[in-house]
Amino acid sequence: MRDALLRRYHALPPVLRSAVASARGGYLRAWRYGPGADRLRDEALARDGWSAERWRTWQEERLAEVLHRAATRVPYYRDQWAARRRAGDGASWEVLANWPVLEKEALRRTPEAFVADDRRIGRMFHDHTSGTTGKSLDLWFTRDTVRRWYALHEARARCWYGVTRRDRWAIVGGQLVAPAAQQEPPFWVWNVALRQLYLSAYHLAPRHAPAYAAAMRDHGVAYALGYPSGLHALARALLAAGVEGPRLRVTIANAEPVLPHQRADVEAAFGGPLRETYGQAEAVAAATECAHGRLHLWPEAGWLELLGAGDAPVAAGATGALVATSLLN
């Protein structure tokens, strides 16, 4: 079904492909931003000045709420704790260390069992991710969670960099917005609802560099976002073709680490700084790079632990598995 729809989409003229992208953008905008969007953004920015002690208190209070809700309203965890009680386990669910680390396979087998029983899946936002390890997941979010998550994005992945969601922007992405076999531009669609120029990552080549640069200028984009590898491929195409790229306020990298040569080429091609971000579809951890080149965690997203063998905390300075307990969803 998905392949058939994609073929029908690719058969459309470019202007109608942009109309389809705009319709999807309108749906996403309605979920991500509501009447309180600016207030949620401002509240997040105000929290940037909190002390470590105040953050710790806030996180502990929120964690207690999340653990209680999971143990009493989420079928998977409620059944798990009931089984432990029947076996004589009197451990408190209020202590995070008493919870086993959730393995991905359990979530893959019964994703609906992780939705609280006072929520209706049909009224939630569904996301499907291929996952970092190549194992896909189905995820659901309430409207409140989605809007709080995107308020954090607005505060710390836009406002920190001098742009807002109201600015026009470009994304170098992996969606097949143009047929892979297409030889001539446009290799992009204009999403009116999100003010987004979606640039195909599959058609980047020096001979197409002038067309990409012209599209970005014609649409007046203020910043660009994408995988570092995709942004770097576009930058290299522009540099190799001797084409001056549009002057951007910032370029924002996500999903992959930024390598020094990628940063140098992207900044040379577009003028503004390249800023690195970290996050994932599960919305349990995120970080953004500040002007001093350091990544800062978003404390609202999740309670983070570094665990080693036997899921025990690692010693200070050691590496381990990053385990996150959501504080938003």
Side-chain angles (χ1 to χ4, degrees):
M1 180 64 178
R2 187 179 181 87
D3 291 342
L5 288 173
L6 188 60
R7 285 194 298 271
R8 291 172 64 185
Y9 163 78
H10 283 159
L12 296 172
V15 66
L16 291 184
R17 290 183 208 159
S18 288
V20 171
S22 297
R24 175 62 177 173
Y27 171 80
L28 294 175
R29 183 181 62 190
W31 273 93
R32 294 174 181 177
Y33 309 111
D38 290 345
R39 173 183 56 81
L40 290 174
R41 174 206 61 203
D42 292 344
E43 289 175 354
L45 289 171
R47 289 191 295 270
D48 285 352
W50 281 9
S51 67
E53 180 180 1
R54 188 173 182 185
W55 269 122
R56 189 73 174 183
T57 299
W58 184 94
Q59 284 191 306
E60 288 174 347
E61 291 174 352
R62 181 61 183 148
L63 179 64
E65 296 172 6
V66 168
L67 296 182
H68 179 80
R69 179 165 173 77
T72 59
R73 303 307 300 258
V74 177
Y76 177 87
Y77 292 119
R78 186 173 55 208
D79 294 347
Q80 191 178 80
W81 279 102
R84 291 174 66 169
R85 294 291 185 257
R86 289 194 298 271
D89 185 345
S92 171
W93 65 50
E94 296 178 355
V95 179
L96 183 60
N98 292 336
W99 292 68
V101 174
L102 174 66
E103 299 296 335
K104 184 173 285 189
E105 283 307 314
L107 182 56
R108 282 167 54 83
R109 282 195 304 269
T110 57
E112 297 88 350
F114 290 85
V115 178
D117 60 12
D118 59 352
R119 300 294 182 190
R120 292 177 58 183
I121 286 179
R123 294 185 176 181
M124 301 177 77
F125 184 82
H126 174 252
D127 195 11
H128 181 84
T129 172
S130 59
T132 306
T133 60
K135 293 185 177 181
S136 61
L137 291 177
D138 286 290
L139 308 163
W140 286 275
F141 304 89
T142 65
R143 191 177 298 272
D144 181 67
T145 294
V146 173
R147 289 181 175 178
R148 289 182 182 278
W149 178 247
Y150 276 90
L152 295 176
H153 273 270
E154 183 71 10
R156 303 199 184 113
R158 288 196 182 104
C159 288
W160 278 17
Y161 307 143
V163 295
T164 78
R165 71 178 189 277
R166 297 180 176 89
D167 286 311
R168 292 172 166 233
W169 58 293
I171 179 171
V172 181
Q175 298 291 336
L176 282 167
V177 294
Q182 184 173 316
Q183 296 297 312
E184 298 298 330
F187 305 116
W188 50 80
V189 291
W190 174 247
N191 181 338
V192 174
L194 292 180
R195 297 179 173 87
Q196 176 199 74
L197 180 67
Y198 200 111
L199 301 168
S200 169
Y202 298 102
H203 300 83
L204 294 171
R207 71 186 185 93
H208 295 318
Y212 274 83
M216 295 174 75
R217 288 196 183 90
D218 291 346
H219 289 86
V221 300
Y223 69 98
L225 179 146
Y227 288 9
S229 54
L231 294 169
H232 183 246
L234 176 57
R236 286 297 304 156
L238 294 169
L239 295 171
V243 175
E244 183 178 357
R247 302 297 88 183
L248 303 179
R249 293 183 214 166
V250 66
T251 308
I252 303 172
N254 66 2
E256 300 168 348
V258 174
L259 303 177
H261 73 281
Q262 293 174 329
R263 188 184 297 273
D265 286 343
V266 170
E267 291 182 348
F270 299 114
L274 174 64
R275 297 299 181 206
E276 184 175 4
T277 67
Y278 172 81
Q280 65 295 103
E282 295 89 340
V284 293
T288 34
E289 182 183 359
C290 72
H292 301 285
R294 294 178 61 88
L295 280 166
H296 297 263
L297 289 167
W298 299 0
E300 302 96 333
W303 183 281
L304 304 185
E305 303 170 276
L306 275 180
L307 305 182
D311 291 334
V314 300
T319 59
L322 182 65
V323 179
T325 301
S326 177
L327 298 180
L328 272 179
N329 191 22

